[in-house]
């Protein structure tokens, strides 16, 4: 394939990748967005395989790689539980980081294949690009491995801190810059591997102090790093598409991290310095507090009766719905209530669940109509005229402490004003707090009724009661 044709193919792929990102920004267009991405990647692979200089051996290697990687990817994608997606994404990022390290090493040891000079004399500009690629790639690799281990519960999600930690990281960061400068000046192989080693250590040290609750933001930051690493490598090997795709991933990961931090009202510096967020969520007071009013617990039958007679219900899904996989039966419940003439709306908090868009994906999977799903700003004024707020497995995103308690870890986070509804139902298994480990005083309010149990089971029982 001629140079012009392959450049044209890369351009088409880039446009498709941009359309993919645009499509993925809304559940209604996300399938189409995914399709654009897949076609774009298909064109990119074909253009690379048939570009000038790729002999039969090269093509065979690419096909073998595709077959092995594609098989593993398909098996993993079919087996993965929705709730385990964040750790899967972290695991995949570690591979992107490692790939950047390998490509940089390949370019360093075979510069002539990439047209960046000879073994004794690699162009200075390429040495800069390659050292940045290997450093960011190695940090992404070890950082993502730790993020994976924390999210998958293979190691404690609690922040690991020690005295002088930030100073040590700063010193290692300065040492890394010095090594990169020395490498660019000398082109030494020893320095190349020292940069890689130091960056692996730095990735590890940067992520261990970050608590479980902040891990999804970190995963998105590492996603951004992996994009910049790929873009750096794109410059080294002169691949236009890799530069564009890397920059798209880098920029979108950075924007996503910003959006998530805003949703949790935390600054990115605060997240990256670590120390916030425990593993699971400590048990809350449990109603044992002497001056607390008692918790009112109801049965699925009570809930069914009250909801049947309601005019407007706002459903607030959260992480517990994802754990219980209750989205399908929730939609069945909504269908039955709609038949009774009840108006149903869904309220989505930007950080409900454990990854951006978590609730949107689950509701879309259950074929909940998109026009019934509303973002926080749109739906909040409507709670005041709702008869029921049906909170299914959500906790932190409804906690009014975010508005009133300055000492609370979630202070300042925008929340869904469920307490304004006439009655609030909370489906959860017990009195445990949410991910931020903060007690929710709404459980003790007179207009709250707790429906204790697994979200799927309780909703199923409500459905049965509605059918009677
Ligand atoms: P949450 O505050 O973590 O609360 C989820 C609740 O679900 C828990 O209190 C738990 O209580 C209940 N639960 C768990 N399994 C259940 C099951 N099988 N059936 C019924 N209930 C179950 O969740 P959220 O309100 O969705 O808030 C999300 C939290 O994650 C926020 O603190 C947010 O900042 C954080 N976060 C989110 C993102 C993101 O991108 N979405 C990123 C970073 C951090 P029981 O144990 O009593 O059942």
């Amino acid at each position: 394939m001629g140079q012009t044709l392959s450049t044209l193919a890369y351009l088409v792929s880039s446009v498709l990748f941009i359309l993919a990102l645009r499509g993925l920004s809304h559940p209604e267009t996300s399938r189409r967005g995914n399709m654009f991405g897949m076609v774009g990647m298909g064109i990119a692979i074909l253009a690379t395989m048939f570009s000038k200089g790729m002999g039969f051996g090269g093509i065979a290697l690419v096909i073998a790689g595709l077959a092995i990687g594609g098989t593993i990817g398909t098996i993993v994608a079919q087996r993965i539980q929705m709730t385990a997606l964040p750790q899967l994404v972290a695991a995949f990022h570690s591979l992107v980081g490692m790939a950047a390290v390998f490509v940089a090493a390949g370019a360093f040891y075979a510069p002539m294949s990439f047209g960046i000079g000879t073994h004794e004399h690699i162009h200075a500009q390429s040495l800069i690009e390659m050292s940045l690629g290997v450093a960011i790639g190695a940090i992404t690799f070890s950082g993502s491995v730790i993020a994976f281990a924390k999210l998958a519960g293979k190691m404690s999600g609690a922040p690991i801190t020690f005295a002088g930690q930030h100073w040590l990281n700063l010193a290692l960061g300065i040492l890394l810059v010095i090594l990169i400068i020395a490498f660019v000046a000398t082109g030494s192989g020893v320095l190349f591997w020292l940069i890689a080693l130091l960056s692996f250590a730095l990735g590890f040290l940067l992520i261990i102090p970050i608590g479980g609750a902040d891990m999804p933001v970190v995963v998105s930051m590492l996603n951004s790093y992996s994009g910049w690493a790929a873009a750096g490598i794109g410059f080294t090997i002169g691949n236009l598409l890799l530069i564009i795709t890397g920059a798209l991933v880098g920029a979108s990961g950075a924007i996503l991290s910003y959006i998530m931090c805003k949703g949790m009202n935390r600054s990115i510096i605060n997240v990256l310095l670590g120390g916030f967020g425990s593993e699971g969520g400590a048990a809350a007071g449990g109603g044992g507090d002497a001056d607390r009013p008692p918790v009112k617990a109801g049965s699925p039958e009570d809930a069914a009766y009250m909801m049947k007679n309601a005019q407007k219900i706002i459903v607030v899904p959260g992480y517990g719905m994802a754990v219980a996989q209750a989205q399908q039966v929730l939609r069945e419940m909504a269908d039955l209530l709609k038949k009774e003439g009840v108006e149903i709306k869904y309220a989505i908090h930007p950080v409900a669940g454990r990854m951006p868009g978590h609730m949107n994906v689950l509701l879309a999977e259950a074929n909940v109509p998109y026009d019934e799903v509303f973002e926080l700003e749109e739906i909040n004024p409507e709670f005041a005229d709702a008869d029921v707020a049906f909170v299914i497995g959500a906790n932190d995103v409804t906690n009014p402490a975010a508005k009133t308690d300055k000492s609370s870890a979630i202070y300042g986070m925008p929340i869904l004003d469920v307490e304004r509804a006439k009655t609030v139902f909370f489906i959860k298994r017990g009195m445990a707090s949410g991910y931020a480990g903060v007690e929710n005083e709404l459980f003790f309010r007179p207009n709250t009724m707790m429906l204790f149990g697994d979200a799927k089971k309780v909703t199923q029982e409500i459905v049965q009661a509605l059918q009677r």
Side-chain angles (χ1 to χ4, degrees):
M1 191 186 278
Q3 178 75 31
T4 322
L5 205 57
S6 77
T7 308
L8 197 69
Y10 281 169
L11 193 67
V12 173
S13 292
S14 311
V15 172
L16 286 168
F17 289 154
I18 293 168
L19 289 175
L21 281 181
R22 196 182 146 76
L24 288 169
S25 65
H26 194 273
E28 210 165 341
T29 51
S30 60
R31 279 201 179 90
R32 198 172 49 203
N34 227 346
M35 203 51 88
F36 280 138
M38 285 158 74
V39 174
M41 188 51 85
I43 294 175
I45 292 170
L46 285 176
T48 308
M49 271 167 60
F50 295 106
S51 62
K52 233 168 62 192
M54 173 89 79
F56 178 74
I59 294 180
L61 272 178
V62 172
I63 292 177
L66 278 178
I68 299 169
T71 310
I72 297 174
T74 310
I75 295 171
V76 172
Q78 273 170 349
R79 287 195 177 170
I80 195 77
Q81 294 286 325
M82 196 57 116
T83 45
L85 266 186
Q87 52 263 44
L88 180 72
V89 172
F92 280 165
H93 287 161
S94 73
L95 299 181
V96 180
M98 204 41 150
V101 174
F102 282 145
V103 176
F108 181 66
Y109 286 106
M112 274 152 63
S113 318
F114 297 96
I116 55 171
T118 61
H119 193 55
E120 284 76 34
H121 187 78
I122 299 176
H123 305 152
Q125 182 198 334
S126 304
L127 287 175
I128 298 175
E129 292 153 5
M130 161 188 316
S131 54
L132 289 179
V134 72
I136 303 174
I139 290 175
T140 307
F141 172 76
S142 52
S144 300
V145 169
I146 300 297
F148 165 80
K150 286 197 174 201
L151 284 166
K154 308 263 180 225
M155 67 183 275
S156 162
I160 300 172
T161 50
F162 53 87
Q165 191 163 24
H166 296 319
W167 290 112
L168 175 69
N169 290 347
L170 184 68
L172 292 181
I174 293 171
L175 183 60
L176 183 62
V177 175
I178 295 171
L179 283 179
I180 290 175
I181 294 171
F183 171 70
V184 173
T186 61
S188 145
V190 175
L191 286 175
F192 178 89
W193 289 111
L194 274 181
I195 293 174
L197 267 182
L198 184 61
S199 305
F200 282 132
L202 206 52
F204 173 80
L205 286 168
L206 284 173
I207 306 302
I208 54 165
I210 300 177
D214 280 339
M215 216 28 88
V217 182
V218 170
V219 170
S220 142
M221 282 290 297
L222 290 168
N223 176 24
S224 171
Y225 292 171
S226 70
W228 299 123
I233 295 300
F235 278 108
T236 310
I237 63 175
N239 188 311
L240 198 65
L241 185 62
L242 202 52
I243 299 171
I244 298 174
T245 316
L248 283 176
V249 174
S252 53
I255 294 171
L256 186 58
S257 311
Y258 171 76
I259 294 174
M260 285 163 83
C261 281
K262 216 169 138 229
M264 296 194 288
N265 195 39
R266 316 227 319 109
S267 79
I268 193 86
I269 300 292
N270 188 290
V271 168
L272 294 181
L273 290 183
F276 168 89
S278 61
E279 223 165 312
D289 233 317
D291 41 344
R292 280 236 179 273
V295 168
K296 226 174 7 173
S299 68
E301 288 75 22
D302 299 333
Y305 177 78
M306 287 173 78
M307 289 203 284
K308 218 176 191 171
N309 292 299
Q311 281 178 352
K312 179 172 178 172
I313 296 176
I314 301 180
V315 177
V316 178
Y319 178 64
M321 181 185 82
V323 175
Q325 287 292 295
Q327 61 275 21
Q328 203 71 42
V329 64
L330 175 69
R331 209 218 62 220
E332 278 173 42
M333 184 193 89
D335 286 349
L336 288 170
L337 288 166
K338 280 197 275 183
K339 274 197 201 133
E340 301 282 337
V342 184
E343 184 190 7
I344 304 278
K345 289 188 172 179
Y346 296 80
I348 307 289
H349 189 283
V351 296
R354 290 292 181 270
M355 59 180 181
H358 203 166
M359 297 300 118
N360 300 79
V361 172
L362 293 176
L363 294 182
E365 188 191 301
N367 292 322
V368 167
Y370 297 122
D371 58 3
E372 291 177 10
V373 179
F374 296 88
E375 302 291 330
L376 180 135
E377 299 81 27
E378 300 171 291
I379 198 79
N380 254 352
E382 296 199 31
F383 279 105
D385 55 63
D387 298 293
V388 173
F390 186 80
V391 184
I392 172 164
N395 190 349
D396 290 346
V397 300
T398 66
N399 193 338
K403 285 190 284 196
T404 53
D405 182 0
K406 284 204 170 126
S407 64
S408 169
I410 55 169
Y411 182 71
M413 176 167 104
I415 61 151
L416 290 163
D417 296 330
V418 293
E419 77 275 17
R420 292 201 184 165
K422 286 195 192 75
T423 304
V424 187
F425 290 131
F426 269 99
I427 303 192
K428 63 202 296 295
R429 297 161 307 175
M431 291 296 289
S433 54
Y435 208 46
V438 184
E439 187 178 73
N440 193 341
E441 52 125 333
L442 282 191
F443 302 162
F444 307 94
R445 293 253 179 119
N447 66 335
T448 294
M449 188 187 275
M450 304 299 289
L451 300 167
F452 288 121
D454 173 75
K456 188 171 178 180
K457 191 166 167 286
V458 173
T459 316
Q460 256 158 1
E461 284 167 7
I462 296 176
V463 166
Q464 281 158 10
L466 285 171
Q467 282 166 335
R468 268 180 225 135

